[in-house]
Structures are given as structure tokens and as C-alpha cells.
Amino acid sequence: DIVMTQSPDSLAVSLGERATINCKSSQSVLYNSNNKNYLNWYQQKPGQPPKLLIYSASTRESGVPDRFSGSGSGTDFTLTISNLQAEDVAIYYCQQYHGTPPCSFGQGTKLEIK
Amino acid sequence: EAQLVESGGGLVKPGGSLTLSCAASGFTFTNAWMTWVRQAPGKGLEWVGRIKRAIEGRTTDYAAPVKGRFTISRDDSKNILYLQMNSLKTEDTAVYYCTTEVGNGPLKDAFDIWGQGTKVTVSS
């Protein structure tokens, strides 16, 4: 089974600064057949369902501010939030979507304002 | 606008059964692989299972903790997804979300639409 591990579990960042969240998969989620990383990032605010931010490791979902960016390949990935805004306070999850099981999430990273 | 609306949650005793529904609208339901994800109180997201399209035999896959107890099905004539839960355990207590990908263009292989969730509490 592919296990997704995020770090840190929580972090506090000042407004306007950069937040960096890491995600590591126990097996590569890069598939050579199409050179695609099956790694996605979601944001979840209290009382709301998750919201897709980034798919295929680095493609921003429509409507997501460009201060959100994703990078990485294979087993190591990063979500970067530049110029942190108050509305970015949330829990962030990475997700793999092609392995065994077909889908699994990281444990989540709680982002707060310092 | 694409929308998913879950229903059917509630309080059930351990060992009991419950069936959740997810009504879909605003997109071509028959083209979508549909997925259930749950979230226990104060915990992270856990994939429960998925069902593929009719042309793919409505094939299902389940997470290990629910395999053999939960059944996912779909009624394409009504645009409804179901999650039948049997032999419920206290650890099945969670908000259950249905989700899928509906975006146009190349496949994202990600969940770009989610319902608001329905709460299931398993307690004596």
C-alpha cells in the first residue's frame, strides 16, 4: 500500500510570509507511461469539505490564487503558499490517486497564523 | 453547476446498518467514477471506496477497513450514488463525503467536486 506522510503536522506562519508543506509517498507516484505524478493537494477549512488546490503535483486548479504552488516528483512533493493571507488558515492534505489502494491521503498539516 | 448532496446519515448502534445516498446534478453522472471519503471527528481524510462507470462494469474498490462490510452502488437513471454500510463499528463514526471529478478538459485524476457530507454516528 502507498502511505502518504506529511510534514510538519502543524505550522504557524506570519501574514505575508511563505508556508511550506511537504509530502512523501512510500512509493513513487510518477508513472513513466505518461510522465505524470498522481499527487494532489487539498485545502479544508473548518466545517467545509475539502477543496482541490493542485493536481498532477504542480497544476493549479481553476480559480486557485497563484500564491499556491506545487512541486516535486516521484516520492517527494511540496506545497508552497506565498504571501500568506488570513483566509489560508486551514488543514492541507496531499493525496495519491493511482496506486494501491487507488487513493490515500496524508495525515494533514494544520496551518495557522503566527 | 455541478453539485453533490449526501443524505442518510444518523445515529446507529454497533452492528447495525445504514445506507447513505449522494444525489448528483449539473454533470454527466454516467461518465463519472464516484468515490466515498470519510472523516472521523478531529481526524484526517480516509478513502472508503469507489465505483467505476457502467461501461466498466460498475467495478468497485474498497479500503481494507470497510471491505466486506460496505457496498457502493449507483443508479445511473436517477443520478444517485449509494453507500450501504453493514456491521457498523464505533470506528466508522465519521462525516461521509461523496466526491468525483467533473472538470472539462484533460483528466485531472483528482476530486474537484465534493458534497457537504453526512454525519454517521455509531454508538450504543
Side-chain angles (χ1 to χ4, degrees):
Chain A
D1 288 12
I2 297 181
V3 177
M4 310 301 291
T5 304
Q6 293 180 226
S7 62
D9 288 334
S10 64
L11 76 162
V13 176
S14 300
L15 290 171
E17 296 299 308
R18 176 182 300 175
T20 300
I21 299 171
N22 300 301
C23 174
K24 189 174 185 67
S25 58
S26 60
Q27 302 172 36
S28 176
V29 297
L30 170 64
Y31 287 82
N32 294 330
S33 60
N34 57 6
N35 199 36
K36 176 176 176 175
N37 284 288
Y38 287 80
L39 189 287
N40 308 313
W41 290 96
Y42 298 85
Q43 175 194 64
Q44 188 179 32
K45 297 182 179 180
Q48 296 183 19
K51 172 188 173 183
L52 177 64
L53 292 177
I54 303 283
Y55 59 93
S56 302
S58 60
T59 304
R60 233 178 348 263
E61 170 71 333
S62 176
V64 173
D66 61 6
R67 63 178 183 274
F68 291 89
S69 63
S71 62
S73 183
T75 60
D76 294 279
F77 300 89
T78 300
L79 174 69
T80 302
I81 309 170
S82 303
N83 186 22
L84 188 74
Q85 302 296 300
E87 60 263 33
D88 299 334
V89 169
I91 299 176
Y92 293 84
Y93 295 92
C94 63
Q95 174 219 13
Q96 67 83 14
Y97 191 43
H98 201 61
T100 301
C103 168
S104 52
F105 293 90
Q107 80 276 19
T109 296
K110 187 175 184 179
L111 175 60
E112 298 173 313
I113 303 297
K114 185 187 293 183
Chain B
E1 179 188 0
Q3 190 174 13
L4 297 170
V5 179
E6 303 94 337
S7 60
L11 175 63
V12 60
K13 288 181 167 50
S17 299
L18 200 62
T19 298
L20 306 183
S21 300
C22 171
S25 60
F27 65 98
T28 306
F29 182 75
T30 52
N31 286 349
W33 289 14
M34 298 300 297
T35 294
W36 288 99
V37 172
R38 69 183 180 182
Q39 187 168 36
K43 302 297 184 182
L45 302 170
E46 181 184 21
W47 178 79
V48 172
R50 72 173 177 197
I51 185 166
K52 297 182 180 180
R53 302 172 297 179
I55 60 172
E56 294 153 327
R58 297 189 178 89
T59 305
T60 53
D61 297 286
Y62 298 95
V66 308
K67 197 169 186 179
R69 301 188 298 122
F70 289 13
T71 301
I72 299 174
S73 60
R74 62 192 297 163
D75 185 334
D76 290 341
S77 68
K78 296 180 180 178
N79 289 357
I80 299 178
L81 172 73
Y82 298 101
L83 177 64
Q84 181 180 348
M85 304 184 292
N86 298 327
S87 304
L88 282 161
K89 307 175 181 181
T90 56
E91 52 263 41
D92 296 318
T93 293
V95 173
Y96 285 74
Y97 297 101
C98 62
T99 182
T100 189
E101 175 178 351
V102 301
N104 297 321
L107 273 180
K108 302 171 189 173
D109 290 298
F111 303 135
D112 61 8
I113 180 173
W114 295 70
Q116 286 298 312
T118 188
K119 185 176 181 180
V120 173
T121 302
V122 184
S123 174
S124 54

